[in-house]
Amino acid sequence: MIRTLLALARLRWRLLINGLRGSRRDNMEQVSRISRLFVAALMAAALVPGAILLALLAFFGARGLAAGSPRAEPVLVGARGVLAMVTMVTMITPVLRFGGTPGSSTRLALLPVSRRSLHAAELIAQLADPWILLIVPALFAVVAGFLAGGDPAAAAWAALAGFAMIAFLGALGSAVSLLAALVFRNRRIGELAMIAVLLLVSMGAYIPIALQHRGGLFERRTHEANAQAIRRSAAALDPAVSPWLRSAPWNLYARAVDAASPSASESPALPTLGLAVAAVALAGLSRFAFSRLLDAPPERRNRSSRDATIRRIPGLSPTASAVAWTAFRLTVRSVRGRVILFTSPIPVIMIGLLWRRSLDEPAVRDLAGILVFSLGAILAMASLQTVFANQFAVDRAGLTLTFLGPASGRDIVLGKAAGGAMAYALPCAAALVAAAVLHPRGALSLWAAAALLVAAIYLVQAPVAALLAAAFPAACDLMKLRAGNPHPLAGVAAMLTVLLAAAASGGVFALTLWGTGAPVAVLGVAIAMLAIAAGIAAALAPAAARALDARRENLAMIAQGR
Amino acid sequence: MDLAIATQGLRRTFGDFTAVDGIDLAVPRGSLYGFLGPNGAGKSTTIKCLTGLLKPSGGTMRLMGIDPLAAPEQAKRLIGVVPEDLALFEHLTAAETLAFVGQIHGLDRATLRARSDELLALMDLDGAKGQLVADYSHGMRKKTSLAAALLPAPKLLFLDEPFEGIDAIASRQIKNLLLDYARRGGTIFLTSHILEVVERLCDHIGVIHQGRLAAQGPIDALRSGAASGETLESMFLRLVGATDGASRHLDWLGA
């Protein structure tokens, strides 16, 4: 059993190290690879001070509890918050990690190793999740704090509750990841499940707003009424008021620690036992999913009827049109692309709803719709940089097919820009409809000016994104969420380009309106800005095409993960 | 001799490693040329250089008389390729893949549709028209890649392991298709580890070993130069300096 666990641990370690090591084909690729590692190392390093800080707070809080100090109470509130966050992340991360493609369990099933050992390895591997590692020192620090405060009995209960919490998180992560693997065996169901999860997560951020708006989302309220609604919503989330929240795992741990202190009236046994039972139940669910995964054959076949026609796009060559339609199809069919398209209008709708209730100034209310649309369009463009800033490598093996055909770099760059524009038009249209429905005010010429400025921003970012995608490609799979990110340098630079272009456009819009007070003048300036943007795009496109042609060999290899 | 592929001193290095070391290929037009070699000998690298996926480190190349380095798009209009990794978009259907390739090659819509329907029927893929390539089996992917290579009616076809992972029925269909293609004047440059297939299908072979061309020419001429009755397998093993493995025994195996 131990030997098997060691072998599986060694396997995971080798996969990690080999993944980091990679290979180098040219200097640009070396820069690209080092910068990726640097970003990953920075993120990992950021966790260390966080873990130390949490451990220190936990130590002094537990020592205070042992001494009966009322100043230690906020530590328990903090512990609830941190553990709630880690529980949520542990629950969501495995789903995002699978992201629509089933993992291979065949190799595991062929090993002469008992399923119990394999499952144990799976459970233990979950404990290596960075979010769980973040809180483990804090859970031990609570034990040390009680010992330092001279209360060994409380320390023993805290240790038991801490182990139960760690076991719960490990079992939760394992159960969710294995259930996700089962669901994602069918690619289409997996994609739908992924989008549903992402939509739920996105919507979840607006639960507090929804709670405040229980009286009616379209109803206008005073500031006082808003404040009352916020207090009411906060009260609904208080475990003392809502009994169902008392049994949440983070509260069970906090209750066990609180009850372990000398002044407590509740016994720590019940919440600790509750946590342990939840861990065992989740481990059982994880075991069930694991067995199903090894036994049940994966489903692959899906039937649907699709129109294969590729229409020539006016102004583009047949080759560029073919590239454009393929780029568009990738965005609208991939998990990552669909998630971006489905989720980007959500914040816009929520902001539109909020502004509908809170904007009182007539001059601002007249611009609210235009602002909502512009914000939605910029947010969507920023989200789509995931695809645009890695537009060549996202094609994976398909990029080789493109390169095998008689397609020039110019055709590919133009086709990608046109395909991106078609995909980008979808969330823009959603934002426009939402803005027009929620805030149907403002001069038509101002709406037109906003749309033209959004087009101008797209025109400027398109060749920049192509240049970045050619210079810093990253192997990725848009069918998965976790493996769909662009190179960090390309992603950040593309995002900055969008924000700078948006700030410039927004500034020109505001200054012209403020200076002239004439919407038609704003429209005129927007037309001029669009012409300037077209000029910039025309100047940058050949450079992007040259960069693509110079890097074809590397791009094709990186796109396939080599 | 009228050559479909002519290279001189073709080289490709990766850092210190030389994958292809100055080979002079001479592939006659209308021939079925089997390019053989052990694993890692440089077959796929050679094909990648010839098809424009890798830039050669040295040497010259001509495909149907065109220098693919000087006029890559012109050369690519004349060739069809089934690469080792098949190079397919996962998120397209087979029909959409063919539409993409057809449009890139400038086929008009009627021609594209007619050829696409014929190829999908021939490859037995018309029943899976609505499925994405991501849902295809390996054999279906290979057939899709072959259909994409054939669609623009190329003069020269590069096939990297075309029969690997294909069932016997499809394999027979593809062999007949390739023979018919060669009879009509098309040139095929294929790699395969299945020497029986190469022996039955090809009229010319080239053997690459450690990046160098060990032998090249009409298969019958190469045979007649060797010991009488020598099979292609024996000739191949001799050229690459391999033993038949009989001298090595794993005593612990089956003990």
Side-chain angles (χ1 to χ4, degrees), chain A residues 51-65:
Chain A
I52 293 171
L53 184 69
L54 283 178
L56 284 173
L57 286 172
F59 176 81
F60 289 112
R63 202 176 64 170
L65 281 174

Side-chain angles (χ1 to χ4, degrees), chain A residues 70-79:
Chain A
R71 288 169 62 193
E73 289 294 325
V75 173
L76 282 177
V77 178

Side-chain angles (χ1 to χ4, degrees), chain B residues 195-219:
Chain B
L195 296 180
E196 290 85 352
V197 170
V198 175
E199 196 160 23
R200 226 175 304 140
L201 207 60
C202 298
D203 44 43
H204 285 69
I205 61 163
V207 179
I208 185 171
H209 181 47
Q210 293 175 342
R212 296 206 174 108
L213 203 58
Q216 176 180 229
I219 197 162

